[in-house]
Amino acid sequence: MLLRVGHRFGRADLRRRMRAYVHGLLGSVGRKNSWQLTEHAGHNSPHGLQNLLNRARWDADEIRDDVQAYVAERLGEDGGVLVIAETGFLKKGDTSAGVQRQYSGTAGART
């Protein structure tokens, strides 16, 4: 999958950072913030990942389309529909910015 979207990042260093970022998001990193993802990738500071997300040039819509095509090739069936909803992921804590009680459809209550 990473080979499919790699060409969307014009430089090799951005491709390496993208790969490290995705591996961290999909890996066993407990909290998915810049510092933890940086440590997981073995980098000294989060500046490289922050640059990838904030300043580097890449088109999120093109990458979304690449991922959609990849998923359709692997899982798709004629007339099939794939629905992804993050409401099933219970949020924890109340000290992070933006965290508050919220409704979670799969939990059936406010969490």
Side-chain angles (χ1 to χ4, degrees):
M1 177 61 225
L2 296 177
L3 292 175
R4 176 169 260 178
V5 299
H7 72 282
R8 302 290 185 193
F9 300 87
R11 300 186 336 240
D13 63 316
L14 294 177
R15 288 189 292 275
R16 285 191 299 272
R17 288 185 184 130
M18 177 270 304
R19 187 179 314 115
Y21 181 70
V22 170
H23 283 180
L25 289 176
L26 297 176
S28 61
V29 177
R31 297 185 65 192
K32 312 287 193 219
N33 62 42
S34 293
W35 278 106
Q36 277 73 24
L37 294 174
T38 294
E39 290 175 1
H40 184 266
H43 300 161
N44 293 327
S45 80
H47 300 296
L49 291 179
Q50 290 170 345
N51 179 61
L52 171 70
L53 297 174
N54 298 321
R55 292 181 291 285
R57 288 186 163 194
W58 52 276
D59 189 324
D61 292 336
E62 290 177 346
I63 293 173
R64 179 209 53 221
D65 294 345
D66 291 342
V67 171
Q68 180 182 19
Y70 176 83
V71 170
E73 288 171 12
R74 301 296 187 286
L75 302 176
E77 294 184 19
D78 291 341
V81 176
L82 175 64
V83 177
I84 300 172
E86 66 178 66
T87 58
F89 301 104
L90 297 177
K91 310 307 188 274
K92 298 179 184 175
D94 58 6
T95 57
S96 298
V99 174
Q100 63 184 7
R101 291 179 58 82
Q102 59 192 25
Y103 179 77
S104 177
T106 57
R110 289 197 167 284
T111 59

